[in-house]
């Protein structure tokens, strides 16, 4: 192999790595975009039936009730807050959702 040939390969490899990097960056951006789209699509939607959630704030605990299947959903850490409520507080919280 003469020196000019190995230089040609080196340049080709550099070119390949450059393009590969560009593609990988695109994939990364695409994955982020997809994540963002999924978030927008599912935000404030019931995880079971996909209908809109109605959020109420009770003493700083945000409870989401599904407008369709009436499932109740809590954000991270909120179950702990609910578990710390007195029985009367719990009754009051659930009375918000009673028909
Ligand atoms: Zn639902």
């Amino acid at each position: 192999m003469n020196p000019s040939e190995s230089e040609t390969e080196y340049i080709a490899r550099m070119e390949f790595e450059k393009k590969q990097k560009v593609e990988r960056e695109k994939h990364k951006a695409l994955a982020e975009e997809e994540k963002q789209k999924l978030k927008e699509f599912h935000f404030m939607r019931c995880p079971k039936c996909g209908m809109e959630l109605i959020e109420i704030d009770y003493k700083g605990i945000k409870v989401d009730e599904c407008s369709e299947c009436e499932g109740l959903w809590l954000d991270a850490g909120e179950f702990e807050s609910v578990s710390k409520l007195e029985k009367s507080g719990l009754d009051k919280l659930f009375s918000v959702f009673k028909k």
Side-chain angles (χ1 to χ4, degrees):
M1 193 189 291
N2 66 49
S4 78
E5 259 176 28
S6 75
E7 197 181 325
T8 304
E9 281 153 18
Y10 176 77
I11 290 165
R13 187 160 57 86
M14 285 295 115
E15 184 73 13
F16 172 72
E17 281 175 9
K18 207 173 102 186
K19 284 178 179 171
Q20 190 181 46
K21 202 175 163 230
V22 168
E23 288 309 312
R24 281 183 180 158
E25 288 301 316
K26 270 196 224 166
H27 293 179
K28 236 170 92 180
L30 216 66
E32 275 306 308
E33 206 178 288
E34 190 63 21
K35 217 169 130 185
Q36 196 56 37
K37 266 192 215 159
L38 281 174
K39 194 178 168 186
E40 279 164 24
F41 190 70
H42 293 281
F43 188 69
M44 290 307 283
R45 294 272 177 175
C46 177
K48 281 197 173 170
C49 71
M51 298 305 282
E52 283 93 349
L53 296 174
I54 300 160
E55 185 180 72
I56 66 124
D57 192 321
Y58 182 79
K59 293 181 173 181
I61 304 164
K62 289 190 173 68
V63 184
D64 307 315
E65 190 196 48
C66 177
S67 56
E68 178 69 22
C69 72
E70 294 171 13
L72 292 178
W73 312 104
L74 296 164
D75 285 346
E78 287 176 341
F79 187 75
E80 205 185 344
S81 306
V82 168
S83 73
K84 282 175 184 157
L85 286 174
E86 302 279 327
K87 174 78 172 79
S88 63
L90 263 179
D91 290 343
K92 279 176 198 160
L93 172 61
F94 288 114
S95 73
V96 175
F97 300 102
K98 271 184 192 142
K99 295 283 169 290

XYZ file of all heavy atoms in Angstrom:
814
model
N 0.853 -1.205 0.000
C 0.000 0.000 0.000
C 0.885 1.251 0.000
O 1.763 1.378 0.846
C -0.883 -0.011 1.250
C -1.995 0.996 1.190
S -2.816 1.102 2.788
C -3.625 -0.496 2.845
N 0.710 2.121 -0.976
C 1.528 3.338 -0.988
C 0.898 4.424 -0.112
O -0.301 4.351 0.199
C 1.788 3.811 -2.435
C 0.522 4.270 -3.133
O -0.244 5.050 -2.582
N 0.288 3.789 -4.342
N 1.695 5.389 0.294
C 1.204 6.413 1.251
C -0.044 7.150 0.781
O -0.911 7.477 1.584
C 2.383 7.372 1.388
C 3.575 6.600 0.934
C 3.079 5.606 -0.069
N -0.164 7.398 -0.530
C -1.324 8.161 -0.993
C -2.614 7.353 -0.827
O -3.674 7.906 -0.565
C -1.147 8.600 -2.454
O -1.393 7.530 -3.333
N -2.487 6.003 -0.960
C -3.676 5.161 -0.777
C -4.168 5.205 0.667
O -5.356 5.325 0.916
C -3.360 3.723 -1.162
C -3.881 3.362 -2.533
C -3.477 1.956 -2.940
O -3.284 1.111 -2.051
O -3.348 1.731 -4.150
N -3.224 5.103 1.612
C -3.655 5.114 3.016
C -4.228 6.480 3.395
O -5.097 6.584 4.251
C -2.517 4.703 3.933
O -1.583 5.740 4.055
N -3.751 7.506 2.703
C -4.296 8.843 2.959
C -5.737 8.928 2.466
O -6.599 9.505 3.125
C -3.433 9.898 2.254
C -3.681 11.300 2.785
C -2.840 12.358 2.074
O -1.685 12.059 1.710
O -3.370 13.464 1.877
N -5.963 8.311 1.297
C -7.316 8.277 0.726
C -8.274 7.576 1.686
O -9.382 8.044 1.936
C -7.295 7.534 -0.634
O -6.346 8.179 -1.468
C -8.657 7.542 -1.299
N -7.818 6.453 2.229
C -8.643 5.709 3.192
C -8.903 6.517 4.457
O -10.008 6.516 4.989
C -7.964 4.383 3.551
C -8.162 3.336 2.488
C -7.037 2.315 2.458
O -6.287 2.211 3.454
O -6.922 1.630 1.432
N -7.860 7.204 4.887
C -7.982 8.020 6.098
C -9.042 9.103 5.901
O -9.933 9.285 6.740
C -6.625 8.654 6.446
C -6.681 9.584 7.631
C -6.748 9.073 8.935
C -6.701 10.966 7.456
C -6.816 9.915 10.021
C -6.780 11.823 8.545
C -6.831 11.299 9.827
O -6.913 12.135 10.900
N -8.960 9.762 4.747
C -9.931 10.826 4.429
C -11.350 10.248 4.344
O -12.303 10.820 4.887
C -9.537 11.569 3.117
C -8.277 12.415 3.381
C -10.679 12.437 2.599
C -7.570 12.904 2.131
N -11.455 9.071 3.703
C -12.766 8.420 3.574
C -13.328 8.047 4.939
O -14.520 8.222 5.205
C -12.653 7.185 2.691
N -12.433 7.563 5.780
C -12.869 7.179 7.130
C -13.327 8.409 7.929
O -14.340 8.381 8.619
C -11.740 6.450 7.865
C -12.179 5.880 9.212
C -11.253 4.783 9.688
N -9.865 5.244 9.778
C -9.344 5.868 10.848
N -10.078 6.099 11.891
N -8.080 6.235 10.849
N -12.556 9.492 7.790
C -12.916 10.743 8.469
C -14.292 11.228 8.005
O -15.127 11.648 8.807
C -11.862 11.835 8.179
C -10.558 11.668 8.945
S -10.776 11.858 10.727
C -10.355 10.215 11.288
N -14.479 11.134 6.686
C -15.745 11.542 6.072
C -16.898 10.697 6.635
O -17.948 11.208 7.011
C -15.623 11.362 4.544
C -16.826 11.832 3.740
C -16.951 13.348 3.656
O -15.983 14.051 4.012
O -18.024 13.814 3.240
N -16.640 9.376 6.700
C -17.649 8.447 7.218
C -17.994 8.769 8.673
O -19.170 8.858 9.045
C -17.149 7.005 7.108
C -18.041 6.015 7.795
C -19.279 5.687 7.260
C -17.656 5.415 8.993
C -20.119 4.779 7.901
C -18.496 4.521 9.641
C -19.730 4.197 9.091
N -16.959 8.984 9.469
C -17.188 9.266 10.889
C -17.936 10.572 11.102
O -18.776 10.672 11.991
C -15.853 9.259 11.647
C -15.399 7.834 11.936
C -14.025 7.732 12.575
O -13.464 8.780 12.956
O -13.520 6.598 12.691
N -17.625 11.541 10.225
C -18.302 12.837 10.299
C -19.800 12.664 10.002
O -20.657 13.166 10.736
C -17.668 13.811 9.298
C -17.800 15.270 9.695
C -17.006 16.161 8.770
C -17.927 16.848 7.772
N -17.179 17.612 6.759
N -20.085 11.914 8.940
C -21.485 11.693 8.545
C -22.232 10.846 9.576
O -23.400 11.080 9.849
C -21.545 11.023 7.163
C -21.255 11.999 6.047
C -21.271 11.331 4.689
C -20.988 12.366 3.605
N -20.789 11.750 2.289
N -21.505 9.873 10.125
C -22.094 9.008 11.147
C -22.486 9.838 12.379
O -23.553 9.644 12.948
C -21.070 7.944 11.529
C -21.643 6.842 12.391
C -20.574 5.830 12.751
O -19.461 6.189 13.137
N -20.901 4.565 12.608
N -21.627 10.782 12.714
C -21.876 11.646 13.863
C -23.125 12.497 13.617
O -23.967 12.638 14.504
C -20.652 12.536 14.123
C -20.591 13.049 15.539
C -19.309 13.823 15.816
C -19.473 14.652 17.071
N -19.081 16.046 16.901
N -23.234 13.026 12.409
C -24.385 13.844 12.038
C -25.675 13.017 12.163
O -26.662 13.474 12.740
C -24.232 14.412 10.595
C -25.541 15.019 10.098
C -23.115 15.441 10.544
N -25.620 11.763 11.655
C -26.792 10.888 11.725
C -27.166 10.564 13.162
O -28.339 10.560 13.522
C -26.554 9.589 10.938
C -26.560 9.771 9.424
C -27.778 10.518 8.886
O -28.906 10.176 9.265
O -27.586 11.469 8.106
N -26.150 10.297 13.967
C -26.416 9.973 15.376
C -27.046 11.147 16.113
O -27.928 10.951 16.943
C -25.124 9.519 16.060
C -24.822 8.073 15.702
C -23.593 7.565 16.405
N -23.353 6.172 16.022
C -22.176 5.565 16.118
N -21.145 6.227 16.586
N -22.033 4.318 15.771
N -26.575 12.358 15.770
C -27.152 13.562 16.371
C -28.622 13.691 15.969
O -29.473 14.049 16.769
C -26.381 14.822 15.943
C -25.001 14.950 16.587
C -25.040 15.001 18.120
O -25.890 15.721 18.675
O -24.224 14.294 18.752
N -28.898 13.349 14.682
C -30.280 13.398 14.174
C -31.159 12.419 14.944
O -32.282 12.748 15.305
C -30.307 13.025 12.685
C -30.147 14.205 11.747
C -30.583 13.776 10.350
C -29.618 14.267 9.282
N -29.829 13.592 7.994
N -30.642 11.208 15.160
C -31.405 10.193 15.898
C -31.716 10.657 17.314
O -32.810 10.452 17.823
C -30.633 8.866 15.942
C -30.497 8.218 14.602
N -29.832 7.034 14.422
C -30.936 8.601 13.382
C -29.867 6.713 13.132
N -30.533 7.647 12.480
N -30.713 11.282 17.913
C -30.889 11.779 19.273
C -31.979 12.845 19.318
O -32.853 12.819 20.179
C -29.563 12.365 19.789
C -29.085 11.729 21.078
C -27.670 12.156 21.407
C -27.649 13.386 22.290
N -26.264 13.812 22.613
N -31.907 13.766 18.339
C -32.906 14.837 18.253
C -34.287 14.262 18.002
O -35.286 14.713 18.562
C -32.522 15.817 17.157
N -34.331 13.225 17.171
C -35.598 12.572 16.837
C -36.209 11.900 18.064
O -37.412 11.987 18.302
C -35.344 11.528 15.741
C -36.423 11.339 14.705
C -36.570 12.578 13.847
C -36.108 10.138 13.835
N -35.363 11.249 18.844
C -35.823 10.580 20.058
C -36.381 11.607 21.039
O -37.417 11.378 21.669
C -34.678 9.796 20.690
N -35.719 12.744 21.145
C -36.185 13.819 22.029
C -37.524 14.370 21.542
O -38.430 14.615 22.328
C -35.152 14.950 22.091
C -34.054 14.725 23.110
C -34.575 14.443 24.516
O -35.407 15.225 25.027
O -34.172 13.429 25.104
N -37.596 14.540 20.213
C -38.812 15.056 19.590
C -39.981 14.100 19.835
O -41.086 14.527 20.164
C -38.559 15.180 18.083
C -39.395 16.226 17.377
C -39.040 16.293 15.902
O -37.942 16.796 15.591
O -39.830 15.807 15.094
N -39.700 12.807 19.695
C -40.713 11.771 19.890
C -41.195 11.765 21.341
O -42.394 11.665 21.609
C -40.116 10.409 19.515
C -41.122 9.288 19.448
C -42.197 9.468 18.382
O -41.991 10.236 17.420
O -43.255 8.842 18.538
N -40.253 11.917 22.250
C -40.565 11.966 23.671
C -41.474 13.163 23.964
O -42.457 13.050 24.698
C -39.249 12.107 24.455
C -39.220 11.340 25.759
C -37.805 11.331 26.289
C -37.769 11.766 27.722
N -36.404 11.875 28.250
N -41.125 14.304 23.369
C -41.890 15.527 23.550
C -43.308 15.361 22.990
O -44.286 15.746 23.621
C -41.156 16.692 22.853
C -41.630 18.070 23.269
C -41.558 18.315 24.777
O -40.638 17.865 25.446
N -42.547 18.994 25.331
N -43.394 14.736 21.809
C -44.692 14.508 21.166
C -45.571 13.615 22.028
O -46.758 13.876 22.198
C -44.485 13.826 19.798
C -44.418 14.796 18.643
C -44.504 14.018 17.337
C -43.642 14.652 16.265
N -43.306 13.710 15.187
N -44.971 12.537 22.549
C -45.719 11.609 23.403
C -46.226 12.322 24.647
O -47.361 12.120 25.068
C -44.841 10.424 23.808
C -44.670 9.335 22.768
C -43.655 8.310 23.238
C -45.989 8.642 22.476
N -45.376 13.183 25.192
C -45.749 13.924 26.388
C -46.934 14.836 26.095
O -47.897 14.872 26.857
C -44.546 14.739 26.878
C -44.725 15.266 28.281
C -43.495 16.016 28.727
C -43.779 16.781 30.006
N -42.630 17.624 30.380
N -46.839 15.557 24.964
C -47.936 16.451 24.584
C -49.228 15.672 24.341
O -50.305 16.097 24.717
C -47.568 17.225 23.305
C -46.685 18.422 23.595
C -45.996 18.958 22.349
O -46.512 18.743 21.238
O -44.935 19.585 22.493
N -49.080 14.509 23.729
C -50.238 13.688 23.385
C -50.914 13.109 24.623
O -52.133 13.016 24.683
C -49.807 12.562 22.443
C -50.947 11.804 21.831
C -51.763 12.408 20.881
C -51.210 10.503 22.205
C -52.832 11.718 20.319
C -52.279 9.805 21.645
C -53.083 10.415 20.704
N -50.120 12.730 25.599
C -50.666 12.053 26.779
C -50.904 12.967 27.964
O -51.512 12.537 28.944
C -49.731 10.914 27.218
C -49.682 9.800 26.239
N -50.675 8.851 26.164
C -48.796 9.504 25.278
C -50.381 8.011 25.191
N -49.247 8.382 24.632
N -50.426 14.211 27.890
C -50.521 15.088 29.053
C -51.970 15.312 29.477
O -52.824 15.654 28.664
C -49.842 16.438 28.766
C -49.752 17.311 29.986
C -48.917 16.966 31.036
C -50.525 18.449 30.091
C -48.844 17.759 32.173
C -50.459 19.253 31.229
C -49.613 18.899 32.265
N -52.223 15.085 30.761
C -53.548 15.228 31.352
C -54.593 14.336 30.679
O -55.763 14.678 30.574
C -54.010 16.688 31.363
C -53.240 17.562 32.347
S -53.194 16.904 34.042
C -54.856 17.344 34.589
N -54.117 13.157 30.265
C -55.017 12.147 29.709
C -54.986 10.932 30.623
O -53.951 10.602 31.200
C -54.546 11.722 28.308
C -54.636 12.818 27.263
C -55.995 12.800 26.630
N -56.144 13.894 25.665
C -57.220 14.016 24.908
N -58.200 13.140 24.984
N -57.315 15.007 24.071
N -56.128 10.279 30.733
C -56.228 9.084 31.566
C -55.335 7.974 31.008
O -55.394 7.678 29.818
C -57.677 8.630 31.605
S -57.913 7.108 32.527
N -54.498 7.347 31.866
C -53.640 6.270 31.367
C -54.419 5.017 30.969
O -53.898 4.155 30.260
C -52.698 5.979 32.532
C -53.381 6.513 33.724
C -54.262 7.639 33.274
N -55.678 4.923 31.414
C -56.460 3.737 31.082
C -57.337 3.920 29.855
O -57.379 3.053 28.994
C -57.332 3.324 32.281
C -56.527 2.579 33.317
C -57.431 1.823 34.259
C -56.611 0.941 35.176
N -57.428 0.383 36.255
N -58.061 5.040 29.792
C -58.994 5.188 28.670
C -58.642 6.331 27.729
O -59.231 6.452 26.663
C -60.430 5.301 29.168
S -60.785 6.858 29.975
N -57.666 7.170 28.097
C -57.195 8.211 27.192
C -58.015 9.486 27.176
O -57.702 10.399 26.421
N -59.055 9.561 28.020
C -59.872 10.770 28.036
C -59.244 11.817 28.961
O -58.322 11.526 29.705
C -61.313 10.436 28.480
C -62.030 9.482 27.539
S -62.077 10.018 25.799
C -63.392 11.228 25.891
N -59.791 13.045 28.909
C -59.211 14.142 29.692
C -59.367 13.920 31.197
O -60.390 13.418 31.648
C -59.888 15.481 29.343
C -59.430 16.072 28.040
C -60.316 15.663 26.882
O -61.170 14.762 27.049
O -60.133 16.240 25.802
N -58.338 14.346 31.921
C -58.380 14.301 33.377
C -58.816 15.665 33.902
O -58.484 16.699 33.324
C -56.995 13.970 33.942
C -56.408 12.599 33.611
C -54.968 12.518 34.123
C -57.235 11.477 34.220
N -59.562 15.632 35.002
C -59.963 16.872 35.672
C -59.123 16.951 36.941
O -59.152 16.036 37.767
C -61.468 16.858 36.008
C -62.307 16.719 34.733
C -61.854 18.117 36.794
C -63.731 16.232 34.980
N -58.369 18.047 37.059
C -57.475 18.173 38.209
C -58.089 19.056 39.284
O -58.597 20.131 38.989
C -56.139 18.756 37.762
C -55.106 18.812 38.879
C -53.780 19.388 38.404
O -53.712 20.609 38.166
O -52.833 18.609 38.245
N -58.053 18.576 40.503
C -58.453 19.435 41.612
C -57.288 19.516 42.595
O -56.479 18.599 42.697
C -59.752 18.968 42.333
C -59.545 17.636 43.044
C -60.945 18.919 41.395
C -59.861 17.692 44.493
N -57.194 20.650 43.255
C -56.135 20.864 44.229
C -56.786 20.859 45.603
O -57.595 21.719 45.925
C -55.462 22.224 43.943
C -54.160 22.383 44.727
O -54.118 21.957 45.900
O -53.207 22.942 44.161
N -56.472 19.857 46.405
C -57.015 19.781 47.755
C -55.872 19.849 48.750
O -55.079 18.912 48.850
C -57.827 18.489 47.944
C -58.451 18.370 49.322
C -59.612 19.054 49.638
C -57.837 17.593 50.304
C -60.160 18.965 50.909
C -58.391 17.495 51.578
C -59.543 18.187 51.874
O -60.081 18.093 53.138
N -55.785 20.978 49.447
C -54.714 21.205 50.424
C -53.333 20.888 49.840
O -52.500 20.229 50.475
C -54.962 20.369 51.686
C -56.188 20.806 52.462
C -56.370 19.970 53.708
C -57.503 20.517 54.565
N -57.706 19.746 55.801
N -53.123 21.325 48.625
C -51.823 21.138 47.983
C -51.623 19.775 47.344
O -50.596 19.518 46.736
N -52.628 18.880 47.491
C -52.532 17.573 46.838
C -53.327 17.659 45.538
O -54.532 17.955 45.563
C -53.115 16.439 47.725
C -52.424 16.412 49.093
C -52.984 15.093 47.022
C -53.186 15.594 50.141
N -52.665 17.440 44.432
C -53.353 17.507 43.149
C -53.859 16.112 42.785
O -53.073 15.182 42.620
C -52.428 18.050 42.070
C -52.135 19.532 42.257
C -51.420 20.128 41.062
C -51.301 21.627 41.200
N -50.378 22.023 42.308
N -55.183 16.003 42.734
C -55.797 14.726 42.372
C -56.449 14.891 41.011
O -57.149 15.867 40.761
C -56.861 14.295 43.425
C -57.415 12.918 43.096
C -56.268 14.303 44.827
N -56.151 13.951 40.125
C -56.738 13.992 38.789
C -57.802 12.915 38.668
O -57.548 11.746 38.937
C -55.662 13.748 37.722
C -54.480 14.696 37.870
O -54.730 15.893 38.074
O -53.339 14.235 37.779
N -59.000 13.347 38.279
C -60.051 12.354 38.055
C -60.353 12.281 36.577
O -60.476 13.302 35.897
C -61.341 12.694 38.817
C -62.310 11.509 38.755
C -63.752 11.853 39.136
O -64.287 12.858 38.628
O -64.333 11.103 39.926
N -60.478 11.061 36.080
C -60.798 10.876 34.670
C -62.247 11.279 34.428
O -63.138 10.916 35.193
C -60.584 9.426 34.263
S -61.057 9.139 32.548
N -62.467 12.046 33.357
C -63.812 12.505 33.023
C -64.659 11.385 32.430
O -65.868 11.515 32.305
C -63.724 13.675 32.035
O -62.994 13.294 30.887
N -64.015 10.274 32.105
C -64.737 9.159 31.478
C -64.914 7.972 32.438
O -66.017 7.633 32.808
C -63.988 8.715 30.210
C -64.584 7.532 29.478
C -65.915 7.809 28.815
O -66.223 8.986 28.550
O -66.663 6.841 28.571
N -63.800 7.369 32.876
C -63.907 6.140 33.680
C -63.893 6.426 35.185
O -64.028 5.504 35.979
C -62.803 5.154 33.301
S -61.154 5.640 33.855
N -63.722 7.705 35.558
C -63.738 8.135 36.956
C -62.601 7.568 37.802
O -62.672 7.530 39.028
C -65.102 7.854 37.606
C -66.197 8.695 36.967
C -67.611 8.321 37.420
O -67.755 7.577 38.395
O -68.543 8.779 36.765
N -61.545 7.119 37.152
C -60.342 6.694 37.876
C -59.691 7.905 38.516
O -59.797 9.015 37.997
N -59.061 7.713 39.667
C -58.365 8.809 40.342
C -56.867 8.589 40.232
O -56.371 7.491 40.480
C -58.767 8.877 41.825
C -60.201 9.286 42.163
C -60.398 9.251 43.668
C -60.528 10.667 41.633
N -56.137 9.642 39.891
C -54.694 9.521 39.688
C -53.955 10.542 40.531
O -54.412 11.667 40.686
C -54.351 9.707 38.202
C -55.219 8.881 37.329
C -56.270 9.307 36.569
C -55.178 7.458 37.165
N -56.857 8.237 35.953
C -56.220 7.100 36.291
C -54.344 6.455 37.683
C -56.459 5.780 35.907
C -54.590 5.139 37.302
C -55.624 4.817 36.422
N -52.833 10.106 41.059
C -52.000 10.982 41.893
C -50.622 11.139 41.262
O -50.108 10.205 40.663
C -51.826 10.374 43.285
C -53.086 10.212 44.133
C -52.816 9.268 45.294
C -53.578 11.549 44.652
N -50.035 12.325 41.439
C -48.675 12.542 40.975
C -47.703 11.913 41.975
O -48.096 11.529 43.078
C -48.376 14.041 40.849
C -49.032 14.659 39.618
O -49.485 13.891 38.741
O -49.102 15.887 39.543
N -46.438 11.846 41.576
C -45.397 11.276 42.431
C -45.384 11.960 43.796
O -45.456 13.185 43.882
C -44.028 11.429 41.768
N -45.364 11.168 44.846
C -45.275 11.701 46.206
C -46.604 12.057 46.828
O -46.691 12.284 48.028
N -47.650 12.125 45.991
C -48.935 12.566 46.522
C -49.686 11.478 47.290
O -50.492 11.783 48.159
C -49.803 13.141 45.394
C -49.277 14.497 44.957
C -50.030 15.088 43.794
O -50.726 14.357 43.077
O -49.914 16.305 43.600
N -49.385 10.232 46.963
C -50.018 9.147 47.722
C -49.593 9.249 49.181
O -50.392 9.058 50.089
C -49.638 7.783 47.135
C -50.386 6.643 47.764
C -51.723 6.409 47.458
C -49.771 5.813 48.690
C -52.430 5.370 48.054
C -50.469 4.773 49.293
C -51.802 4.546 48.968
N -48.326 9.603 49.379
C -47.787 9.775 50.731
C -48.540 10.906 51.447
O -48.900 10.769 52.613
C -46.300 10.086 50.636
C -45.545 9.698 51.877
C -44.078 10.117 51.823
O -43.573 10.439 50.735
O -43.458 10.127 52.892
N -48.770 12.013 50.727
C -49.508 13.142 51.313
C -50.927 12.729 51.674
O -51.432 13.092 52.732
C -49.567 14.309 50.323
O -48.279 14.642 49.894
N -51.564 11.947 50.801
C -52.931 11.473 51.064
C -52.939 10.574 52.300
O -53.816 10.684 53.149
C -53.512 10.716 49.832
C -54.795 9.979 50.191
C -53.772 11.687 48.682
N -51.910 9.712 52.410
C -51.866 8.771 53.532
C -51.684 9.494 54.866
O -51.982 8.943 55.923
C -50.744 7.755 53.319
O -49.485 8.369 53.537
N -51.206 10.749 54.807
C -50.993 11.508 56.039
C -52.226 12.293 56.469
O -52.231 12.901 57.543
C -49.802 12.453 55.868
C -48.474 11.717 55.982
C -47.309 12.624 55.688
C -45.995 11.839 55.700
N -44.969 12.538 54.921
N -53.262 12.290 55.633
C -54.491 13.025 55.972
C -55.234 12.312 57.100
O -55.215 11.086 57.195
C -55.422 13.112 54.756
C -55.055 14.063 53.612
C -56.041 13.873 52.474
C -55.045 15.518 54.069
N -55.891 13.114 57.942
C -56.776 12.548 58.964
C -57.961 11.916 58.251
O -58.252 12.265 57.107
C -57.306 13.672 59.868
C -56.233 14.483 60.570
C -55.693 13.798 61.821
O -56.470 13.103 62.484
O -54.497 13.951 62.105
N -58.659 11.035 58.949
C -59.836 10.380 58.351
C -60.827 11.412 57.830
O -61.351 11.293 56.720
C -60.485 9.462 59.388
C -61.799 8.813 58.966
C -61.582 7.628 58.044
C -62.861 6.850 57.768
N -63.731 7.466 56.769
N -61.057 12.489 58.633
C -62.016 13.517 58.215
C -61.544 14.243 56.954
O -62.331 14.584 56.083
C -62.274 14.517 59.342
O -61.071 15.196 59.659
N -60.225 14.439 56.863
C -59.644 15.069 55.681
C -59.818 14.201 54.452
O -60.116 14.693 53.366
N -59.634 12.894 54.644
C -59.818 11.936 53.555
C -61.262 11.950 53.066
O -61.516 11.976 51.860
C -59.483 10.523 54.041
C -58.085 9.979 53.740
C -57.942 8.582 54.323
C -57.789 9.955 52.249
N -62.192 11.926 54.035
C -63.621 11.961 53.694
C -63.936 13.208 52.878
O -64.673 13.149 51.897
C -64.495 11.898 54.936
C -64.428 10.523 55.601
O -63.986 9.559 54.941
O -64.808 10.416 56.782
N -63.361 14.344 53.320
C -63.609 15.611 52.635
C -63.037 15.553 51.218
O -63.668 16.020 50.259
C -62.974 16.788 53.401
C -63.821 17.259 54.551
C -63.081 18.349 55.317
C -63.680 18.547 56.700
N -62.747 19.216 57.607
N -61.840 14.993 51.106
C -61.210 14.868 49.784
C -62.085 14.038 48.846
O -62.368 14.439 47.718
C -59.811 14.250 49.920
C -59.081 13.861 48.631
C -58.851 15.088 47.740
C -57.743 13.216 48.941
N -62.523 12.893 49.328
C -63.333 12.020 48.464
C -64.731 12.553 48.198
O -65.313 12.244 47.167
C -63.341 10.583 48.991
C -62.009 9.896 48.789
C -61.233 9.524 49.864
C -61.512 9.714 47.504
C -59.988 8.935 49.669
C -60.259 9.122 47.291
C -59.500 8.737 48.389
N -65.220 13.408 49.124
C -66.558 13.980 48.904
C -66.551 14.899 47.682
O -67.585 15.110 47.059
C -67.024 14.743 50.146
O -66.313 15.968 50.260
N -65.359 15.443 47.341
C -65.223 16.303 46.151
C -65.645 15.516 44.900
O -66.227 16.078 43.966
C -63.779 16.824 46.015
C -63.587 17.620 44.729
C -63.367 17.668 47.209
N -65.334 14.223 44.902
C -65.564 13.409 43.699
C -66.885 12.648 43.716
O -67.230 12.003 42.745
C -64.408 12.421 43.506
C -63.080 13.113 43.348
C -62.195 13.170 44.412
C -62.741 13.717 42.153
C -60.981 13.826 44.275
C -61.524 14.369 42.003
C -60.642 14.421 43.077
N -67.594 12.733 44.862
C -68.853 11.975 44.963
C -69.919 12.569 44.062
O -69.992 13.782 43.900
C -69.329 11.909 46.414
C -68.749 10.696 47.108
C -69.285 10.545 48.535
C -68.474 9.509 49.304
N -68.278 9.902 50.704
N -70.710 11.704 43.522
C -71.774 12.153 42.604
C -72.978 12.643 43.400
O -73.307 12.077 44.412
C -72.202 10.992 41.685
C -71.071 10.552 40.763
C -70.889 11.518 39.611
C -69.631 11.280 38.823
N -68.390 11.600 39.497
Zn -60.249 6.997 32.173
